[in-house]
């Protein structure tokens, strides 16, 4: 299974797609979220994090750079690197611990961390399309491809 493109008409559709992503990943992997300010990266992250059963707020980690979540045995790290000036700062944050392979990492503005981030299993590019959003999913490697294959069963041709 290679990539997948879909259209999500509104915020609710974005949140439900997020919860399907949560299910297929089972809480392990790395997802890059690309798209301009206001594209919907944080909204999709909120859907994913709630999909694991998190009930509190999911705020944009613009100032903290990363926000950790723990639900049952699932760990999610939600990054927003928009304000990162030097990717080397990630080293000082102890970023390696976040990428120990036992968590799901969602990364907004991954290009700001170039050279200091692991390869993603999946890159999701979000763009405005009509009143909603178009999402392009580009997997890398077996894990990302199997996620896309599972998602395509429900979301292709929509
Ligand atoms: P980003 O994190 O990419 O800057 P946000 O998720 O913070 O973007 O904000 C996106 C805005 O777009 C929010 O107002 C949200 O309600 C809206 N939105 C998110 N997904 C969709 C969608 N599929 N269709 C229409 N509007 C959406
Ligand atoms: Mg955001």
């Amino acid at each position: 299974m290679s990539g997948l493109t879909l259209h999500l008409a509104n915020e609710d559709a974005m949140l439900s797609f997020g919860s399907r992503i949560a299910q297929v990943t089972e809480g392990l992997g790395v997802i890059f979220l690309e798209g301009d300010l206001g594209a919907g990266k944080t909204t999709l992250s909120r859907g994913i994090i709630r999909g694991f059963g998190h009930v509190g707020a999911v705020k944009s980690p613009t100032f903290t750079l990363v926000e950790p979540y723990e639900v049952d045995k699932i760990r999610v790290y939600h990054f927003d690197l928009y304000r990162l000036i030097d990717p080397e700062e990630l080293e000082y944050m102890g970023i390696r611990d976040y990428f120990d392979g036992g968590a799901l990492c969602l990364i907004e503005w991954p290009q700001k961390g170039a050279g200091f981030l692991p390869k993603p299993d999946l890159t999701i590019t979000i763009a405005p399309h009509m009143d909603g959003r178009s999402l392009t999913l580009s997997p890398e490697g077996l894990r990302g491809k199997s996620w896309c294959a599972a998602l395509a069963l429900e979301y292709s041709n929509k």
Side-chain angles (χ1 to χ4, degrees):
M1 178 76 209
S2 53
L4 180 65
T5 298
L6 55 132
H7 181 257
L8 298 173
N10 52 44
E11 179 167 346
D12 279 351
M14 199 76 149
L15 293 170
S16 353
F17 184 61
S19 75
R20 279 298 291 139
I21 293 178
Q23 286 174 340
V24 302
T25 64
E26 299 176 332
L28 295 176
V30 177
I31 300 180
F32 283 3
L33 295 160
E34 299 193 339
D36 288 340
L37 279 177
K41 304 179 293 298
T42 299
T43 305
L44 185 61
S45 302
R46 184 174 296 128
I48 296 172
I49 293 162
R50 290 196 178 144
F52 290 114
H54 173 80
V55 283
V58 175
K59 292 190 197 131
S60 177
T62 309
F63 294 98
T64 52
L65 292 180
V66 60
E67 203 62 58
Y69 297 87
E70 205 163 335
V71 194
D72 298 324
K73 295 224 155 56
I74 305 279
R75 283 187 293 141
V76 181
Y77 296 110
H78 179 204
F79 292 82
D80 181 344
L81 304 182
Y82 187 67
R83 287 177 184 274
L84 193 69
I85 292 158
D86 183 345
E88 214 175 331
E89 274 180 62
L90 293 171
E91 290 274 292
Y92 308 132
M93 287 169 63
I95 196 165
R96 278 168 217 273
D97 298 342
Y98 298 123
F99 300 119
D100 62 6
L104 179 67
C105 292
L106 307 173
I107 309 176
E108 299 186 36
W109 297 100
Q111 57 273 45
K112 301 259 182 179
F116 289 84
L117 297 173
K119 273 202 190 334
D121 298 297
L122 180 66
T123 298
I124 303 180
T125 306
I126 310 175
H129 182 68
M130 298 190 282
D131 288 339
R133 300 291 187 270
S134 79
L135 276 68
T136 304
L137 279 64
S138 314
E140 267 177 63
L142 279 180
R143 178 184 268 170
K145 285 179 182 164
S146 75
W147 294 347
C148 283
L151 292 167
L153 296 174
E154 279 167 75
Y155 284 93
S156 54
N157 308 318
K158 275 193 189 170

